[in-house]
Amino acid sequence: MTTSAIERFSTGDITLGIVGLGYVGLPLCVDAAQAKGIKVLGLDLKQSVVDSVNAGHSHIQDVPSTEVARLRSEGRLEATSDMSRLAECDAVSICVPTPLSKTRDPDVSFILAATESVAAALQPGQLIVLESTSYPGTTREIMLPALERTGMRAGEDFFLCFSPERVDPGNPTWQTKNTPKVIGGVTPVCSEVGAAFYERFIDTMVPVSSAEAAELTKILENTFRAVNIGLVNETAIISDRLGVDVWEVIDAAATKPFGFMKFTPGPGLGGHCIPVDPHYLSWKMRTLNYKTRFVELASEINAEMPLFVVGKVRQALNRSRKAVNGSRVLLLGVAYKRDIDDMRESPALDILKLLEADGAEVSYHDPFVTAFKEDDRELESVPLTDEVLSEADAVVIVTDHTTVDYGRVLRLSKALVDARHAVKAAGIEGVPVGPDRWIVKG
Ligand SMILES: NC(=O)c1ccc[n+]([C@@H]2O[C@H](COP(=O)([O-])OP(=O)(O)OC[C@H]3O[C@@H](n4cnc5c(N)ncnc54)[C@H](O)[C@@H]3O)[C@@H](O)[C@H]2O)c1
């Protein structure tokens, strides 16, 4: 079975079902469908997403519509909301969301629902791979029993693996195909079959000994970032109290050719992964009576950064004898990072709410996010006209999109708080050289 399965998955004609066509699923669809002998069936519960893919459109910024349209016209990619069609697939990758609940516990309901769909259609010989980030044990404790309730056995009748997605939206260099991909199965045979298949459309596969090792690898990567960002954010608070320029310190430290990795401070963590994934590990470890202290501390410091930025706005307004209450504040950028349209967990939302709670009139400009809904109201990006910039009592750079002319922003704004060091990074003359690089003007 193993040799024939490996041969089938590494060279045969394969239909790959991809469950969840979002930031992770759609790029995977395109990369897999480009490989010889692989046809992709994308499955999503949202009919609008299915219709859009079938019409040859991409709703994900990193995936060009021209590519979706080409693969559609060549018959290599199709989308459906009919989950029973999972039975047509030789392999299935699950890319559904893994958010936190209101109490910041893992919400694995999407994995559960997707697993039920896969179990209902499970076929002998199928390869099932979970790509959604989750706590160590998810694949074996949640998926395996549900799939084996069919009477089929993993490693014998079907293959089950965990292989975390490492997509970095907006990254021009590292995409799904050229980023090495870790994979671990619930049995050694599962790992072998999974790696043999993914090698057809991922340049480098990194097999590990178990699904749990692969699950923990992904959470280690994201916790590493959350903790190091927490460290530089705390260094920013420390530097501010000491009257030292944190960016100067970080740039100086980064000249060390070994043993230091550069992270930069900012308005707080954002995105679907880094603020969320470490809490999956914390939750799991609480069930094992262990407290993940690094995760808690980093999360606490990072969550305080929006308040720190609002403090800088208050200070900047204060310099011209203004209060936050009644002031017009313009936020530049609401996406969680530069040059993307993703607002999930963006610290801009916290900054907006904190300023509004203090009575400010807040508007925003973001070239990538034309409108968004928050607490049942719709906010729309205002055009970045000279009037908008000069009429605001304070402008706050929350996201350093590269299309914004920061020289113009500096020239026209009355007070400017730069939470990303964007003005200095753009090489603009006349930026005050002093410890308070956060308040560039005011
Ligand atoms: N976005 C990233 O940069 C990124 C990077 C690495 C890993 N991840 C992980 O990948 C997973 C997916 O994240 P994403 O950003 O692609 O999410 P997303 O919200 O962009 O997309 C998920 C899609 O799944 C669909 N869906 C939900 N439940 C479904 C079901 N039962 N059956 C079929 N479709 C269903 C939704 O309609 C949606 O279109 C998460 O676990 C996330 O942590 C995300």
Side-chain angles (χ1 to χ4, degrees):
M1 174 79 172
T2 323
T3 325
S4 63
I6 290 175
E7 202 179 314
R8 179 165 74 97
F9 279 106
S10 51
T11 56
D13 285 341
I14 295 288
T15 299
L16 167 64
I18 296 182
V19 183
L21 301 178
Y23 286 91
V24 166
L26 194 63
L28 190 66
C29 281
V30 168
D31 284 333
Q34 284 166 345
K36 198 167 157 264
I38 301 179
K39 270 191 186 178
V40 173
L41 180 64
L43 302 107
D44 203 293
L45 296 180
K46 275 192 207 143
Q47 195 57 44
S48 57
V49 167
V50 167
D51 292 343
S52 147
V53 171
N54 280 339
H57 295 139
S58 162
H59 57 292
I60 300 295
Q61 201 186 321
D62 287 344
V63 177
S65 287
T66 46
E67 201 44 33
V68 176
R70 186 180 71 82
L71 294 166
R72 283 287 298 137
S73 68
E74 288 174 7
R76 307 176 69 86
L77 173 66
E78 186 193 347
T80 181
S81 55
D82 177 1
M83 295 295 147
S84 68
R85 292 193 59 193
L86 283 164
E88 297 169 21
C89 302
D90 304 283
V92 178
S93 299
I94 300 175
C95 309
V96 295
T98 43
L100 293 172
S101 70
K102 284 217 157 63
T103 52
R104 301 196 80 68
D105 287 334
D107 172 2
V108 290
S109 58
F110 297 92
I111 294 183
L112 284 169
T115 304
E116 286 311 321
S117 302
V118 172
L122 192 67
Q123 301 296 314
Q126 267 184 342
L127 165 67
I128 315 296
V129 183
L130 178 63
E131 299 234 0
S132 305
T133 310
S134 191
Y135 56 81
T138 306
T139 312
R140 197 179 303 275
E141 291 161 15
I142 292 186
M143 293 188 69
L144 183 63
L147 298 175
E148 287 196 335
R149 270 198 289 277
T150 57
M152 289 187 248
R153 291 283 155 264
E156 294 168 21
D157 309 307
F158 68 96
F159 308 98
L160 177 61
C161 298
F162 180 79
S163 181
E165 186 46 68
R166 283 170 160 170
V167 71
D168 179 18
N171 190 321
T173 312
W174 296 105
Q175 279 116 29
T176 303
K177 185 172 173 13
N178 65 350
T179 305
K181 200 161 179 2
V182 172
I183 191 161
V186 295
T187 70
V189 169
C190 294
S191 303
E192 268 185 81
V193 173
F197 176 55
Y198 271 74
E199 257 160 17
R200 290 175 71 165
F201 53 94
I202 302 287
D203 294 347
T204 311
M205 289 305 293
V206 184
V208 292
S209 65
S210 64
E212 288 76 7
E215 289 161 335
L216 188 54
T217 302
K218 173 68 184 177
I219 297 206
L220 169 64
E221 290 164 16
N222 286 355
T223 304
F224 174 84
R225 287 191 64 75
V227 167
N228 280 287
I229 294 168
L231 177 64
V232 287
N233 279 337
E234 188 175 52
T235 308
I237 295 168
I238 291 168
S239 305
D240 193 56
R241 299 255 175 117
L242 290 172
V244 172
D245 178 351
V246 66
W247 284 283
E248 184 189 6
V249 170
I250 291 167
D251 283 342
T255 60
K256 187 179 175 189
F258 48 86
F260 185 84
M261 187 179 279
K262 183 173 170 178
F263 284 82
T264 45
L269 288 184
H272 185 37
C273 297
I274 297 167
V276 172
D277 302 346
H279 294 284
Y280 270 67
L281 182 63
S282 297
W283 176 87
K284 175 68 185 180
M285 296 317 296
R286 280 201 299 278
T287 70
L288 299 174
N289 211 16
Y290 184 84
K291 193 173 169 199
T292 51
R293 288 156 289 176
F294 272 111
V295 171
E296 307 300 331
L297 185 57
S299 159
E300 205 178 290
I301 293 165
N302 291 328
E304 278 171 16
M305 290 313 286
L307 201 59
F308 179 83
V309 172
V310 169
K312 290 291 169 194
V313 178
R314 188 171 293 123
Q315 263 176 279
L317 289 169
N318 202 35
R319 288 181 189 176
S320 47
R321 297 168 180 265
K322 284 185 191 144
V324 174
N325 195 349
S327 285
R328 278 169 296 190
V329 181
L330 174 70
L331 304 185
L332 273 190
V334 290
Y336 82 86
K337 69 172 185 176
R338 84 162 69 118
D339 296 345
I340 64 161
D341 60 3
D342 192 347
M343 279 198 66
R344 289 178 294 179
E345 309 284 327
S346 172
L349 292 176
D350 293 322
I351 294 172
L352 182 134
K353 284 183 189 165
L354 287 166
L355 286 168
E356 285 189 338
D358 278 352
E361 267 177 51
V362 187
S363 56
Y364 86 93
H365 169 78
D366 192 311
F368 294 87
V369 183
T370 48
F372 70 91
K373 261 200 169 150
E374 180 62 18
D375 294 339
D376 293 333
R377 64 182 170 140
E378 175 123 356
L379 286 97
E380 271 180 34
S381 172
V382 295
L384 200 59
T385 60
D386 289 359
E387 292 70 44
V388 164
L389 277 169
S390 55
E391 282 170 10
D393 296 300
V395 176
V396 189
I397 301 170
V398 181
T399 317
D400 50 349
H401 292 308
T402 51
T403 49
V404 172
D405 176 353
Y406 293 107
R408 182 169 155 255
V409 172
L410 178 67
R411 207 172 57 247
L412 294 173
S413 56
K414 290 185 198 127
L416 179 59
V417 173
D418 184 355
R420 297 283 188 176
H421 206 218
V423 177
K424 181 75 184 168
I428 293 154
E429 298 290 318
V431 180
V433 180
D436 206 332
R437 286 274 176 83
W438 297 83
I439 303 174
V440 176
K441 192 175 180 185

